[in-house]
């Protein structure tokens, strides 16, 4: 960076000196002599050219002849004699010295440098100067010095020279070299303006000692009125850059830009293909379904009429008789297998339930001990808060590349940024006093009072000192900041336009007066100069001030980094200032604590700041994490209220209230509280277990898993309690036997759902996304433990509570004796409504059922049609509260920033930079491969809209070639000991040029390349050598040892992404950079395709790295990961349902289809409610699968084991016995708690928890309680004939429970001996 700056200074100096030389060459030609002659020769006082009106003289100095032959071979004849020239040896030496800077800037393109030197060769030494140069007699001083010359030059040469140079790049600054030579941006420079800047003293008063008036003509002659003479414009031969220079430096050498392939929007009849297909699918469904209904009406009227009936009707319908007759037929093997499997489960749960009911103290005590033992693992509990650890897997490509970058260079900096706007947002017209300068519009933030206020704030921040309680020390910015020239210059890198004035208010107030005493130049003129060329060392307009554009830390400040809100490159119209404090990010704990302590003080200062003329938005490295923590703390109350609402609901609704006098007796608040505590115990046990194992948790676990387990747990609690309340006690049946019978009935259903969910979550842990993997593990274990506790501890608690109720003891004061009385069976409100056939009359009639199918299938088609339109990513604005100061910063960043994040193309260790071929594979200047690394990256910058790379890359390799190349004075060594002599050492007599051997192309040989590279990386840029690499490339090259020799290890080449505003932009930028890096890697390893011999390089990898890659990599394959995770979970549920329902394939298919419909509905909701797909929403979708099981599997199993004669009757029976519990349990419980989340201050909670949780419950309830029964009534599996035979034989009661006999067993080892008859296979 700094080198480029110095280059500009040198270049301008060189140009002007060259111009002086030209002027010196311009002799006074009062009349065109028939014989051409000189207009100057030799140097007078102050190095000025002396007027001479005579013929050319012989050049006899051998050294001068050698230099002239190198620079101007066209002026040397083929003979070996002494050439005749219009310049002395001293003038040639001066010309060579003045060419040092142009060589440094323009050597990347040999054609440009050759043409540029030719311009001055002819003007300095051409023996026929008088043909094209002239001087007025009045412009010759008494001491024979020339003050003004006139130079006639052909238009072809001027335009040829300009075109060969206009695209030459300066790698360290990322700008065109012409920006440093033309006094304006290269994009605005013209051939005429370039020559004016080089020749007119008014434009360059400090570098042009006398005026050179270039006269450009397309004719062979031109008449100068002012001199009244005719000149012949010099038509020197120019060399086009095409083919000689690289694409970076010569646009005509570039291949044509491939036209952007517009993505073809495929449509069908003008409609989106997926939307059209789903519309056709829905139409086909309507036709087929309608046809089936019509056929059913005409050919099965009697069957349809009998579909609506009372479950208690005594008459035999025709269909019932047919089914009875079918049931009496020979059973199939899968009927017997299913019945045996069901019988096995019922017998096991009957025995287990009886054991838990008989031994409550043992069971509860054992459960408490196990839970405490597991929960004690929380002692080792760790929470992952590092975003990198949370969202990126350790073995992911982004993590590996980040680790490689951090290990070989340094972690990317911590960024503390201010974005400043003026309160008065109007542009203003700057009226200079001098009439020579026209008024000009400037942006509102460039008012002097605004800049002074900003500078005061900036300096106050830079002087901040923070106290670290943990380290017990004070921390200043200098302790933690990045200083590119440290230890030579310890100042911190602050990217701010105020650094154009070295952060000094006195410099901001400096002005220059003209001869009339009016202001000729001020801070705005300096601003314009610095934005055109940030590498300027001395502002030419502020005469006598010698004010540099370089920052006080020794490097340049690029205008696109420090300014915002400007159109194109019109920096004067900027509407915002961007100030960036660059802080190191070393990973040791002490440094991190120091940085965070200083940032905390910085935040405190900025939150208290009130500007007079400005408004400030700001952010630090720790800001988002701080706001996330604050948000989490503020949402604790919301979450607690949510759980309290659910607990109160559970406690109240579990009761079976009959009268006010028995309110406390029939209440089940303690039982409800116990159920909730069991849920919490399962969560803490899961957390403790994985803490033992060493798998850290995440904040998602704390927020999501309790919700999931409570949903599952509450559902099971309601099913157990309400089944108990609705089950009629048989004569002589004890409470323990009744509990056992209830458990035998609902236990298999609870096992089906819990095992399905646990297996689905365990398989979800196969994901390589850390957040999804950890959630799946914790959720699976919590659900499994919750099932075990409910099947043991809660059964015992239910038995104790039942006995308390039977004894007439109040709920909360169970020690108070009451009057024992029988507890009659009384269904709840929902069950009563269902029992009165309200559900059947409303939702299972002949009109509602078809309508339900049409509505749900139509909604399914709609959701499928938009599933491909869901956006990926996570809007960072959602991560912070609405009242966060970071939101204002995000808005300002989107509005004003003009450049994106830096991107580094890293070449891993192993590449051989010492060979010409190895160099050509990387470099970007003349002689390099067209498809070199830098060539490919530059090619990408030519189409920034699709590549998302906006600036040419910096190149330490090309700048090193210029630093060490022939003609450069940068590489020096001390005469005494041959150690490195920096270019900043003023005493030149102490140093001598490096002893170098160069290849034909001017590059160093392999031994010199390695020897002097460390010197280049140590050299600070300065006026004498702007190419010093310390500031720009000090951290870009890692030197390593190989075979006891120092060689280049890993290195990087930096550029910038364009402005990225949306998640889509970030994802596309990452994808393009990855593709580009992969193509470069393939190119480096495929020498055969280039018909080149193997260079000896080993295969190396090139990859792009930017700070955001590690967060956005997950989105590159998020869609297939989502399909994989959800598909795996669905497959697990299908298998478990198939097996645990006795290999009932059709029921398993119906369950998984319904769950899939719930998932698709969630995707549709995400599109319509603008919820993006990311790790958070994927966790919720995985959880949706688990909760959907609760809504579907209970009802599907109840339908499968029902023995009613028709599908319609079995569907109503399933809702009656399970649907009401699901509705009153998971549905109403979760809705009550979810509503509270709508009042959260956290946008993240409202979007990803309130919205998604509400839709999970809503879609689950709609599909499980309404669609699934209707679907089963149409296409449900046939009745199990074995079970139907049992009911006919009286072995199954009206509730589909086995009839248990034998009274109270005599011992625990002979539980229900008579129950075996039920499972004899009949």
């Amino acid at each position: 960076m700094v080198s480029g700056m110095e280059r500009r200074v040198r270049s301008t100096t060189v140009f002007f000196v060259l111009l002086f030389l030209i002027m010196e060459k311009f002799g006074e030609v009062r009349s065109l002599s028939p014989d051409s002659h000189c207009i100057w020769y030799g140097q007078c006082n102050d190095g000025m050219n002396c007027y001479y009106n005579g013929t050319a003289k012989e050049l006899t100095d051998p050294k001068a002849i050698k230099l002239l032959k190198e620079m101007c071979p066209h002026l040397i004849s083929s003979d070996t004699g002494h050439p005749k020239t219009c310049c002395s040896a001293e003038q040639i030496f001066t010309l060579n010295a003045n060419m040092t800077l142009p060589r440094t800037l323009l050597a990347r393109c040999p054609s440009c440098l050759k043409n540029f030197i030719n311009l001055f060769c002819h003007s300095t030494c051409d023996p026929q100067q008088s043909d094209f140069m002239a001087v007025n007699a009045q412009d010759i001083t008494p001491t024979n010095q020339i003050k003004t010359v006139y130079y006639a030059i052909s238009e072809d040469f001027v335009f040829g020279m300009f075109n060969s140079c206009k695209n030459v790049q300066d790698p360290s600054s990322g700008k065109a070299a012409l920006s440093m030579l033309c006094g304006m941006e290269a994009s605005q420079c013209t051939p005429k303006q370039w020559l004016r800047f080089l020749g007119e003293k008014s434009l360059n008063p400090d570098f042009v000692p006398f005026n050179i008036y270039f006269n450009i003509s397309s004719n062979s002659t031109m008449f100068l009125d002012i001199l009244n003479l005719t000149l012949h414009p010099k038509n020197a031969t120019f060399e086009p850059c095409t083919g000689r220079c690289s694409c970076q430096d010569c646009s005509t050498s570039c291949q044509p830009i491939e036209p952007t392939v517009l993505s073809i929007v495929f449509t069908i009849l003008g409609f989106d293909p997926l939307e059209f297909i789903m519309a056709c699918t829905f139409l086909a469904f309507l036709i087929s379904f309608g046809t089936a209904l019509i056929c059913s009406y005409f050919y099965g009227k009697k069957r349809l009429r009998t579909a609506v009936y009372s479950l208690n009707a005594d008459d035999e319908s025709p269909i019932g008789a047919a089914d009875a007759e079918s049931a009496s037929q020979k059973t199939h093997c899968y009927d017997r297998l299913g019945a045996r499997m069901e019988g096995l489960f019922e017998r096991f749960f009957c025995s287990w339930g009886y054991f838990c009911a008989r031994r409550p103290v043992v069971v509860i005590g054992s459960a408490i001990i196990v839970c405490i033992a597991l929960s004690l693992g929380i002692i080792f509990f760790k929470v992952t808060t590092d975003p990198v650890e949370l969202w990126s897997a350790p073995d992911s490509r982004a993590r590996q590349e980040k680790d490689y970058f951090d290990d070989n260079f340094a972690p990317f900096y911590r960024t503390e940024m201010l974005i400043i706007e003026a309160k008065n947002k109007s542009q203003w017209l700057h009226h200079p006093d001098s009439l020579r300068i026209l008024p000009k519009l400037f942006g509102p933030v460039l008012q002097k009072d605004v800049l002074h206020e900003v500078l005061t704030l900036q300096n106050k921040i830079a002087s901040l000192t923070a106290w670290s309680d943990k380290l017990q020390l004070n921390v200043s910015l200098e302790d933690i900041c990045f200083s590119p020239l440290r230890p030579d210059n310890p100042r911190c890198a602050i990217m701010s336009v105020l650094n154009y004035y070295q952060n000094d208010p006195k410099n901001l107030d400096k002005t220059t007066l003209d001869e009339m005493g009016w202001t000729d130049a001020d801070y705005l003129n300096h601003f314009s100069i610095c934005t055109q060329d940030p590498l300027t060392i001395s502002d030419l307009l502020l005469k006598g001030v010698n004010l540099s554009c370089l920052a006080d830390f020794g490097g340049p400040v690029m205008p696109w980094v420090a300014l915002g809100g400007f159109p194109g490159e019109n920096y004067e119209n900027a509407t915002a200032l961007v100030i960036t404090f660059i802080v190191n990010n070393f990973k040791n704990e002490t440094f991190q604590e120091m940085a965070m302590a200083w940032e905390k003080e910085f935040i405190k200062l900025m939150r208290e700041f009130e500007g007079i003329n400005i408004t400030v938005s700001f952010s630090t490295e720790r800001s988002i994490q701080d706001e996330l923590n604050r948000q989490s703390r503020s949402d604790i109350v919301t979450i607690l209220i949510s759980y309290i609402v659910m607990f109160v609901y559970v406690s109240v609704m579990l009761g079976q209230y009959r009268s006010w006098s028995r309110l406390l007796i029939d209440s089940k608040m303690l039982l409800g509280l116990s159920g909730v505590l069991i849920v919490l115990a399962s969560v803490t046990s899961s957390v403790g277990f994985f803490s033992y194992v060493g798998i850290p948790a995440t904040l998602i676990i704390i927020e999501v898993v309790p919700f999931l387990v409570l949903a599952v747990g509450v559902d099971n609690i309601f099913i157990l309690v309400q089944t108990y309340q609705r089950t009629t006690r048989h004569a002589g049946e004890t409470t323990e036997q009744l509990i056992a019978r209830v458990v035998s009935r609902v236990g298999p259903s609870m096992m089906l759902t819990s095992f399905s969910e646990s297996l689905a979550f365990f398989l979800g842990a196969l994901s390589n996304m850390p957040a999804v993997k950890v959630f799946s593990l914790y959720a699976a274990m919590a659900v499994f433990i919750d099932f075990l506790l409910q099947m043991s501890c809660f059964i015992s608690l239910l038995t104790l509570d039942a006995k308390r109720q039977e004894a007439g003891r109040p709920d909360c004061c169970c020690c108070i004796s009451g009057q024992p009385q029988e507890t009659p069976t009384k269904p709840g409100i929902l069950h009563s409504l269902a029992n009165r056939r309200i559900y059947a009359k409303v939702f299972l009639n002949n009109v509602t059922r078809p309508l339900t199918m049409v509505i749900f299938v139509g909604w399914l088609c709609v959701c499928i049609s938009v599933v491909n339109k869901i956006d990926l990513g996570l809007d960072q604005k959602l991560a912070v509260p609405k009242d966060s100061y970071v939101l204002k910063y995000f808005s300002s960043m989107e509005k004003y920033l003009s450049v994106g994040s830096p991107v580094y193309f890293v070449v891993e260790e192993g590449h051989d930079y010492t060979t010409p071929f190895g160099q050509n594979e990387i470099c970007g200047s003349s002689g390099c491969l067209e498809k070199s690394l830098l060539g490919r990256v530059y090619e990408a910058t030519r189409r920034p809209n699709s590549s998302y790379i906006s600036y040419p890359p910096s190149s330490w390799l090309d700048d090193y070639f210029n630093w060490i190349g022939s003609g450069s004075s940068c590489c020096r060594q001390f005469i005494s000991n041959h150690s490195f002599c920096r270019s900043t050492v003023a005493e030149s007599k102490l140093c001598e040029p490096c002893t170098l051997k160069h290849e034909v192309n001017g590059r160093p040989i392999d031994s010199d390349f390695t020897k002097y590279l460390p010197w280049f990386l140590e050299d600070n840029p300065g006026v004498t050598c702007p190419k010093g690499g310390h500031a720009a490339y000090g951290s870009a090259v890692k030197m390593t040892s190989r075979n006891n020799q120092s060689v280049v290890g890993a290195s990087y080449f930096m550029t910038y992404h364009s402005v990225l505003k949306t998640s889509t932009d970030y994802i596309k930028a990452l994808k393009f950079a990855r593709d580009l890096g992969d193509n470069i890697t393939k190119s480096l390893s495929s020498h055969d395709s280039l018909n080149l011999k193997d260079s000896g390089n080993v295969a190396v990898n090139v990859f792009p790295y930017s700070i955001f890659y590690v967060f956005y990599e997950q989105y590159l394959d998020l869609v297939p990961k989502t399909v994989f995770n959800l598909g795996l979970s669905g497959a697990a549920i299908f298998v478990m349902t198939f097996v645990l329902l006795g290999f009932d394939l059709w029921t398993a298919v119906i369950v998984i289809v319904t769950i899939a419909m719930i998932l698709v509905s969630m995707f549709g909701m995400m599109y319509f409610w603008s919820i993006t797909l990311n790790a958070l929403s994927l966790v919720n979708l995985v959880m949706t699968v688990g909760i959907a099981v609760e809504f579907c599997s209970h009802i599907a199993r109840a339908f499968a084991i029902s023995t009613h004669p028709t599908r319609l009757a079995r569907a109503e029976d399933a809702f009656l016995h399970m649907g009401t519990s699901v509705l009153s349990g998971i549905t109403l419980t979760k809705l009550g708690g979810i509503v509270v989340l709508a009042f959260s201050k956290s946008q993240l909670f409202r979007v990803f928890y309130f919205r998604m949780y509400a839709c999970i419950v809503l879609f689950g309830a709609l599909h499980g309680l309404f669609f699934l029964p209707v679907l089963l009534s149409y296409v449900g599996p046939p009745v199990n004939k074995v079970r139907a035979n049992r009911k006919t034989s009286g072995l199954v009661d009206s509730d589909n429970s086995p009839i248990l006999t034998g009274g109270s067993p005599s011992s625990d080892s002979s539980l229900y001996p008579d129950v075996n008859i039920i499972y004899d296979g009949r």
Side-chain angles (χ1 to χ4, degrees), residues 606-795:
M606 293 311 305
R607 299 197 75 166
E608 295 173 352
F609 175 77
E610 289 290 339
I612 300 174
N613 302 300
I614 60 176
T615 58
V616 182
S617 55
F618 67 96
S619 178
T620 69
E621 191 74 17
R622 64 175 292 169
S623 290
I624 293 182
Q625 189 61 49
D626 285 350
E627 292 301 284
L628 282 172
N629 295 337
R630 181 172 73 89
Q631 176 176 272
S632 299
R633 290 192 297 268
S634 67
D635 284 323
I636 290 177
V637 175
T638 304
I639 296 173
L640 287 177
I641 294 175
S642 174
Y643 283 108
I644 289 173
V645 168
M646 289 186 282
F647 160 67
V648 171
Y649 172 82
V650 171
S651 300
V652 172
M653 293 304 294
L654 280 180
Q656 192 177 33
Y657 309 106
R658 290 174 289 173
S659 65
W660 287 102
S661 61
R662 289 183 55 86
L663 181 63
L664 294 179
I665 297 174
D666 294 336
S667 171
K668 294 190 180 296
M669 293 191 66
L670 285 180
L671 184 63
L673 175 61
S674 301
V676 174
L677 291 177
I678 285 176
V679 171
L680 296 179
S682 64
V683 174
T684 58
S685 297
S686 175
V687 172
F689 175 81
F690 287 109
S691 297
Y692 280 127
V693 176
I695 299 178
T698 65
L699 293 177
I700 296 178
I701 302 301
I702 301 172
E703 294 160 349
V704 178
V705 171
F707 177 90
L708 169 66
V709 181
L710 188 60
V712 176
V714 166
D715 199 32
N716 290 340
I717 288 172
F718 270 88
I719 289 173
L720 268 171
V721 173
Q722 292 187 349
T723 302
Y724 166 77
Q725 292 170 344
R726 294 195 294 257
T727 302
T728 304
R729 180 175 298 195
H730 296 162
E733 190 176 35
T734 65
T735 301
E736 290 83 354
Q737 292 172 336
L738 176 60
I739 294 293
R741 188 155 57 89
V742 169
V743 174
S744 72
R745 180 183 176 191
V746 300
S749 183
M750 294 169 62
M751 179 181 68
L752 168 63
T753 58
S754 298
F755 279 22
S756 297
E757 293 159 4
S758 294
L759 181 60
F761 289 136
F762 273 126
L763 291 177
L766 296 176
S767 170
N768 62 353
M769 298 178 66
V772 177
K773 180 176 183 177
V774 174
F775 160 76
S776 298
L777 287 173
Y778 276 75
M781 184 60 69
V783 170
F784 181 70
I785 294 175
D786 181 63
F787 169 73
L788 295 180
L789 291 177
Q790 287 179 331
M791 283 290 97
S792 56
C793 190
F794 190 77
I795 291 174

Side-chain angles (χ1 to χ4, degrees), residues 123-171:
S123 62
T124 305
C125 297
D126 195 307
Q128 299 176 332
Q129 284 180 337
S130 61
D131 284 353
F132 55 90
M133 296 173 64
V135 60
N136 195 316
Q138 299 176 354
D139 294 323
I140 302 175
T141 67
T143 57
N144 208 35
Q145 295 175 335
I146 297 176
K147 295 191 302 181
T148 299
V149 294
Y150 298 87
Y151 187 177
I153 189 167
S154 73
E155 184 178 79
D156 289 343
F157 177 79
V158 171
F159 278 84
M161 179 182 66
F162 177 81
N163 290 332
S164 69
C165 294
K166 65 180 180 181
N167 297 122
V168 177
Q169 299 295 311
D170 176 31

Side-chain angles (χ1 to χ4, degrees), residues 179-217:
S179 296
M180 309 172 194
L181 310 179
C182 195
M184 61 181 61
E185 286 293 325
S187 59
Q188 301 174 6
C189 185
T190 63
K192 185 176 181 180
Q193 180 62 37
W194 186 16
L195 294 182
R196 285 191 62 202
F197 185 77
L198 295 176
E200 295 186 19
K201 188 174 182 179
S202 62
L203 297 179
N204 277 324
D206 289 348
F207 288 92
V208 179
F210 56 88
N211 288 313
I212 304 175
Y213 293 114
F214 289 94
N215 294 269
I216 305 172
S217 175

